[in-house]
Amino acid sequence: MKADIHPDYHEIKVQMTDGTVYTTRSTWGKPGDTMMLDIDSTSHPAWTGGPARLNEAGGQVAKFKKRFGSFGLKK
């Protein structure tokens, strides 16, 4: 590797939403910093099986169907 062109790669701690902490290496922050996550695999609906985005955004789906409903597949 060329000298002085790469970011500093050091150990940081990552704290999940449930309080679990693990150590990893990253270019984020300073050595020893703690990254506190707002969303992770223990709280995100994609991993927990929670409500799907389409259910939460029914208004957007209805708007799409209203706008493009006439382009439906012919049977």
Side-chain angles (χ1 to χ4, degrees):
M1 294 193 315
K2 291 184 180 179
D4 301 326
I5 64 167
H6 299 283
D8 181 36
Y9 190 62
H10 50 269
E11 286 190 358
I12 65 166
K13 294 178 182 173
V14 178
Q15 182 173 351
M16 309 286 267
T17 56
D18 66 354
T20 306
V21 178
Y22 66 93
T23 304
T24 187
R25 296 181 58 83
S26 175
T27 59
W28 179 86
K30 298 176 184 167
D33 281 354
T34 300
M35 178 186 290
M36 305 203 42
L37 301 179
D38 294 332
I39 298 175
D40 60 19
S41 60
T42 61
S43 64
H44 194 279
W47 288 283
T48 61
R53 171 92 169 105
L54 291 176
N55 292 343
E56 295 173 3
Q60 292 177 4
V61 173
K63 182 178 176 182
F64 178 85
K65 287 181 179 178
K66 179 180 175 185
R67 189 170 180 187
F68 297 107
S70 62
F71 294 109
L73 297 173
K74 295 182 180 180
K75 294 181 181 180

